[in-house]
Amino acid sequence: MMLIDCPFCGPRDETEFSCGGEAHIARPLAENKISEAEFADYLFMRDNPKGLFLERWRHSAGCRRWFNMARDTVSHEIVEIYPMGALPKTAAAKSAYSASWRRDTAAEHAAKPARTTVKNAGKARGAK
Amino acid sequence: MASTSQKSTSLPGRTALHGKAMTMHPNPNSGKPGLVFCELAHLGKLNMRADKSAGKMVKSITGCMFPPAANTFTSAGERHAVWLGPDEFMIICEAGKDEELASSIQASFGNRHAAVTNITDALAAFHLKGAAVRQVLAKGCALDLHHSSFTSGDAAQTLLSHAAVTIMALADDEFIVICRTSFASYLHDWLLDAALEYGVKFNK
């Protein structure tokens, strides 16, 4: 049983929360062309490490808000709780983030918007 | 402290505990029953999504201050504003006044990025009072309900015997518990059972 410190409600029982699985999986952008196998990396492949894991959690019986949590799957130690959309700040969680196989996938690269100059962005709008 | 009237209303329509009869189990240690509870029939409930900038507008229409912090509620007479999330709260009002209140809030939005939803009939409300009310609730709830920790004006969304509830402390021995309508019958039965050792009375 874990006592999870909801960033909005404060410390609550684990039973009030639901785990949303691996965090930091960004959807490849529609305009990008990646192979089906590479898209499958995004869609199906999930990590299940023994040790520190970055997860999404939701305070489903409380404020119903999502947040990220760096949790050790062996000891249940909660290393860090940080907001959705943010990256972890502690050294251990940071290295778990950068060590993930996902950082090198084509799907993750395709999730980042291509850098467009202001000029090109204008053109893209005009083309529509 | 603010109170919510226990008078049953004569509004049409069945409520969640329509079929439940008055029940009384005497206190085995003699004296008053440790828990007396009833349904707050048709209690008006509005869900509101808006941030602190709506505070003035909420105050002028409902009379309630914007909840100042997480896990609290504010009161003005029979109306309450209960914190539910960083940009979400619930307004509780007198039975039968919910539609009128919802439309006057809606009308005052202007260009504000906000929403109000009438959830009166989605939720059922219990009024609990008695010397043993905290002990009874603590049987099904992991929160620290000691009167030094959960004081009047505190509210929490949590689980009460597996049912999702919003608990509000009106006074040391007086609570409002709000649950989904479909869980009302279960919570009624659970409360009767959990409070048996203290003596319990359910009023129609």
Side-chain angles (χ1 to χ4, degrees), chain A residues 43-58:
Chain A
L43 193 59
F44 301 115
M45 302 305 282
R46 294 293 180 268
D47 250 1
N48 185 22
K50 194 174 176 183
L52 194 63
F53 192 32
L54 309 182
E55 296 170 320
R56 298 173 302 164
W57 281 76
R58 180 172 167 258

Side-chain angles (χ1 to χ4, degrees), chain A residues 8-9 12-13 15-16 61-65, chain B residues 49 70-71 84 86-88 142 157-159:
Chain A
F8 304 104
C9 301
R12 296 291 183 92
D13 228 23
T15 49
E16 292 188 15
C63 60
R64 301 183 300 285
R65 296 316 190 269
Chain B
R49 299 298 301 264
N71 303 322
L84 298 181
D87 59 354
E88 183 178 11
Q157 298 166 91
T158 184
L159 296 173

Side-chain angles (χ1 to χ4, degrees), chain B residues 89-174:
Chain B
F89 54 100
M90 176 163 58
I91 294 169
I92 295 176
C93 69
E94 308 88 324
K97 294 281 169 65
D98 47 298
E99 281 181 23
E100 186 189 320
L101 195 62
S103 48
S104 54
I105 291 172
Q106 183 80 56
S108 66
F109 276 159
N111 291 327
R112 194 184 294 283
H113 184 63
V116 61
T117 313
N118 192 340
I119 50 169
T120 298
D121 295 325
L123 303 174
F126 291 88
H127 179 268
L128 287 73
K129 199 167 163 50
V133 62
R134 286 172 190 267
Q135 287 100 305
V136 173
L137 291 177
K139 286 186 179 187
C141 176
L143 284 181
D144 182 1
L145 290 174
H146 190 267
H147 59 78
S148 63
S149 165
F150 201 84
T151 56
S152 60
D154 280 352
Q157 298 166 91
T158 184
L159 296 173
L160 181 61
S161 184
H162 311 288
V165 292
T166 305
I167 297 178
M168 299 160 59
L170 296 176
D172 246 13
D173 62 347
E174 191 180 1

Side-chain angles (χ1 to χ4, degrees), chain A residues 16-92:
Chain A
E16 292 188 15
F17 296 84
S18 44
C19 182
E22 188 179 345
H24 308 298
I25 303 175
R27 192 184 203 288
L29 295 172
E31 64 264 30
N32 278 286
K33 302 262 189 295
I34 58 172
S35 72
E36 286 183 0
E38 286 162 346
F39 193 80
D41 278 349
Y42 151 76
L43 193 59
F44 301 115
M45 302 305 282
R46 294 293 180 268
D47 250 1
N48 185 22
K50 194 174 176 183
L52 194 63
F53 192 32
L54 309 182
E55 296 170 320
R56 298 173 302 164
W57 281 76
R58 180 172 167 258
H59 192 189
S60 44
C63 60
R64 301 183 300 285
R65 296 316 190 269
W66 287 92
F67 56 90
N68 287 319
M69 187 158 102
R71 179 181 68 100
D72 193 304
T73 57
V74 179
S75 66
H76 289 303
E77 184 198 354
I78 297 170
V79 173
E80 186 180 350
I81 288 174
Y82 54 103
M84 295 306 286
L87 291 176
K89 290 204 174 77
T90 55

Side-chain angles (χ1 to χ4, degrees), chain B residues 6-8 15 17-18 20-25 33 35-41 125-129 188 192 200-204:
Chain B
Q6 295 181 53
K7 277 176 269 166
S8 62
T15 64
L17 298 183
H18 176 79
K20 301 285 184 187
M22 202 280 272
T23 314
M24 170 78 186
H25 296 290
L35 176 69
V36 178
F37 72 105
C38 66
E39 184 189 14
L40 295 169
F126 291 88
H127 179 268
L128 287 73
K129 199 167 163 50
H188 161 273
L192 280 180
V200 56
K201 187 177 182 198
F202 171 69
N203 283 322
K204 277 301 276 181

